[in-house]
Amino acid sequence: MNIDTSPNLIDLALGQPQRPRRVFIETYGCQMNVADSELMAGILQGEGWEKADAPEDADVILVNTCAVREKAEERVFGRVATLNGVKYQRPDVLIGVTGCMAEHLRDKLTERAPWVDLIIGPDAYRRLPDLIQQAEAVRTDPIIDIRLDREETYEGLDPVRKEGITGWVSIQRGCDKFCTFCIVPYTRGRERGVPPREVLRQVRQLVEEGYPEVTLLGQTVNSYRYEDVDFADLVEAVAAIEGVKRIRFTSPYPIDFTPKLIALMAREPKVCKYIHLPVQSGSDDVLDRMRRGYTIAQYRQLVADIRAAMPGIAISTDIITGFPGETEDDFQQTLDLMAELRCSFAFMFKYSERPGTFAHKRLADDVPEDVKGERLRRVIALQEQLGAEEIQRWVGRVEPVLVEGDSRRSPDQWSGRTDAFVTVVFDKNVPGVQRGDLVNVRIDRASAHTLFGQIVP
Ligand code: 5AD
C-alpha cells in the first residue's frame, strides 16, 4: 500500500482520530436501483461510513447504473467523465461503477473510462467494503467483481433509506422472462425471491421508521415465489402488519397476474387500486417476436377481469416503438389498443438494441431511427390526450390521499397522492393534519397531470 495516498494510514500513524470515510452514491434507472443504492449505503454505514452530500466531499463515488437502453448508458459515460474531474483535485478519491452497466459493459468501461477504480455487479454489494479496500491498495487497474449469484437476496442487511413517504422493499432479484429485447436477465441474473421473513422484517422496520407506505419491488414482482409462498400470500402478510397504511408494487408481469391476486387486491383496502402493467405493443406479431408470452386478447381479458373486480382502478403501461419488424399496421394496433385501454399514463420508449439479447442476435433492427422517433411522438401525443381526459374522471369524487408534504407552489397547501397515484394539491384547511396521514379529499378540478381539492373533515 502506498502510504502517501492513504489519509487513514497517516492518521493512524500520527495517532489522530480517523474521520469517518464518506461515500457519495448517484443512481440511474429503475426503482430497484434506487433500492440497491439504499442497500449499498446501508452496507457501508454498517462499516462506519458516512454519506457525502456532494461528490467533491466523498472518498468514494459510486455511480449505480442502468443498461436498459443505450441512452441511459451514454448518460452514465458522460457523468463518469465529469466525475473524473474530481480526481484532478483529489487523486485519492475512488470512482466506482455499480449495477447493470458494470455487468454488461465491463470491457467498454475499462476502455472508455480507465480512471474508474471499481466495477461492481448487482450481486456483489455484500463485498463492497472489501472491494473498496482492495481498490485503495491497488490504485492502478480497476477492481472488478461482476459475479452473478443465484442465491444472493441480501437477507439480513439494512438499507439506509432516503427520507420520503414510500419505503422501497426489494422482494425479488433478477429475471427469468427473457423478453427478446431486454438486457435485465443478463445483467441481474436469475430470478430469486427474498425470503418472506426478510420482507416482513424490513416492512416492520419501515413502519418503525415512520413510513406509511411500502412499495414492493421486483423486475416481475408478481412472479414472486419463495417455497410455497406466492406474491398474493406475501402481499396479504404485509397488509397484516399494523402501521402499514398503503401498499404498492411494481412492476407486475401480465401472465403472472393471478385471479388470487386480483381477489386479494379487491378485498384489501391497504393495497392501492393502481397497477402498472407493461403491454409493450398492441400487435400479436410483435408480442410474439418479443416473447412476451401473451396475446392482446389475453391482455385485454386480464384488464377486463381487473376492472370488473375493482371498478375505477387506474392502469398504466409501457410501450416500445420500432421493435424489429414493426409495420405501420402493427403500430396502428398499438395506438388502437392505447385508445381502448385508456391508461392514466405510460412510459414510452424507442426500441434500443441491446448487445447480447435474442433480438440483437437474431432480429434485424430494421425500423429506421426516424420512423421509431415519429412513432414515439405519436404514442406520446395520444397518451397525453388520453391522460388529460382520464384525469377528469376524478373530479367531483372524494378520494383518500396520503399527505406527502408541502405543495411545490405554496406552503399553505399540501401535496399528496391518491390510490391511483395521481398527485393532488389541497389547502391546509383542516388543522392537525400531518405528513403521512391519510385524509379524504374532495376533488374540485384537474389540470393535465394534477388534481386540486379540499379536505373533507
Ligand atoms: N429498448 C427500448 N425499451 C426497452 N425497455 C426494456 N428494454 C428495452 C429496449 N431494449 C422498456 C420496456 C420495459 C421498460 C422498463 O423499459 O418497456 O417495460
Side-chain angles (χ1 to χ4, degrees), residues 352-367:
S352 165
E353 190 173 60
R354 305 284 61 216
T357 59
F358 180 90
H360 164 74
K361 287 188 243 171
R362 301 288 173 78
L363 306 173
D365 186 6
D366 57 1
V367 178

Side-chain angles (χ1 to χ4, degrees), residues 85-349:
V86 180
K87 279 202 164 198
Y88 284 108
Q89 317 275 300
R90 297 201 352 261
D92 55 308
V93 72
L94 293 178
I95 298 180
V97 171
T98 67
C100 289
M101 263 177 84
E103 202 64 51
H104 178 53
L105 285 184
R106 155 222 167 125
D107 293 337
K108 205 164 155 194
L109 270 166
T110 47
E111 220 174 89
R112 274 184 66 181
W115 55 87
V116 166
D117 304 285
L118 288 149
I119 299 180
I120 303 178
D123 284 347
Y125 300 148
R126 230 178 245 281
R127 295 184 288 277
L128 193 55
D130 280 351
L131 295 167
I132 291 175
Q133 217 169 34
Q134 288 176 38
E136 281 173 332
V138 174
R139 285 188 183 275
T140 46
D141 291 333
I143 300 297
I144 300 175
D145 189 343
I146 54 173
R147 261 176 296 166
L148 288 171
D149 181 341
R150 279 167 186 271
E151 307 290 322
E152 182 60 276
T153 61
Y154 295 115
E155 184 175 6
L157 296 174
D158 294 318
V160 174
R161 294 188 164 87
K162 276 220 198 76
E163 251 183 59
I165 280 295
T166 206
W168 311 107
V169 180
S170 296
I171 67 159
Q172 176 193 63
R173 302 194 64 88
C175 183
D176 279 354
K177 297 297 186 208
F178 288 92
C179 299
T180 58
F181 53 81
C182 188
I183 192 80
V184 168
Y186 305 95
T187 59
R188 286 186 167 269
R190 298 288 55 75
E191 180 185 322
R192 60 224 106 116
V194 177
R197 60 178 176 263
E198 173 66 13
V199 174
L200 299 179
R201 182 185 78 85
Q202 289 204 21
V203 174
R204 282 190 209 100
Q205 201 171 21
L206 282 175
V207 170
E208 256 169 50
E209 288 170 24
Y211 289 84
E213 182 176 284
V214 298
T215 303
L216 306 179
L217 294 177
Q219 297 297 337
T220 57
V221 72
N222 57 330
S223 325
Y224 175 89
R225 181 159 275 281
Y226 190 90
E227 292 170 355
D228 57 349
V229 178
D230 70 10
F231 183 64
D233 299 329
L234 186 71
V235 174
E236 190 163 24
V238 169
I241 293 175
E242 212 178 311
V244 174
K245 290 186 190 167
R246 262 186 176 175
I247 302 167
R248 298 187 186 276
F249 56 86
T250 200
S251 290
Y253 196 76
I255 52 175
D256 294 322
F257 221 106
T258 59
K260 179 176 166 186
L261 177 58
I262 297 176
L264 170 73
M265 286 186 75
R267 75 167 178 272
E268 178 50 67
K270 288 184 182 179
V271 182
C272 288
K273 301 302 177 275
Y274 163 67
I275 302 175
H276 183 69
L277 197 63
V279 69
Q280 314 296 2
S281 168
S283 153
D284 281 340
D285 287 345
V286 173
L287 289 177
D288 189 44
R289 282 198 296 281
M290 288 177 166
R291 295 217 185 124
R292 291 289 288 175
Y294 54 84
T295 61
I296 288 304
Q298 287 166 326
Y299 184 91
R300 193 181 269 139
Q301 185 59 50
L302 173 62
V303 170
D305 293 345
I306 289 169
R307 285 183 169 155
M310 294 167 276
I313 191 165
I315 292 177
S316 58
T317 200
D318 289 350
I319 300 281
I320 296 175
T321 67
F323 187 73
E326 185 188 68
T327 62
E328 183 59 30
D329 181 57
D330 291 320
F331 177 66
Q332 188 57 50
Q333 292 179 49
T334 298
L335 293 175
D336 293 346
L337 181 73
M338 289 172 70
E340 177 192 324
L341 288 176
R342 303 190 66 84
C343 285
S344 54
F345 72 90
F347 295 111
M348 294 159 281
F349 313 98

